[in-house]
Amino acid sequence: MPKTPLHPAPPPMEANDVAIVGGGTVLWFVAFVALVPFQSTLSEHDHGTWPWICLSGGLLGLIGLWYCVSRRSAIRRDREAAARADGPTAENQPG
């Protein structure tokens, strides 16, 4: 017997993705800048890749930031197009 959901799925939550991804990206770059002066010490203790991991995280964060901004713009354009397609209704027409 197939399982059916007991309740309908809730609508997706809106969040400020740009701020979240931007904050994380800044933290990765701050960690990179903080670790670079200690590169030789980190290398002596077999942790020489840590600064480069942080740099990679920051660069990937920039890609994520670009994606989030593009997504937000596309959602806004879609909502505006849907609002224009609906047009004025009979209730909104001057009488």
Side-chain angles (χ1 to χ4, degrees), residues 39-72:
Q39 177 65 34
S40 61
T41 306
L42 289 168
S43 294
E44 290 171 9
H45 293 65
D46 295 328
H47 298 297
T49 58
W50 286 6
W52 310 117
I53 292 169
C54 293
L55 181 62
S56 299
L59 294 174
L60 288 171
L62 291 176
I63 294 170
L65 196 58
W66 169 81
Y67 173 79
C68 288
V69 169
S70 300
R71 179 180 175 275
R72 183 170 60 179

Side-chain angles (χ1 to χ4, degrees), residues 11-28:
M13 293 180 60
E14 294 291 330
N16 190 352
D17 298 336
V18 175
I20 294 167
V21 173
T25 302
V26 167
L27 290 175
W28 278 115

Side-chain angles (χ1 to χ4, degrees), residues 12 32 81:
F32 171 72

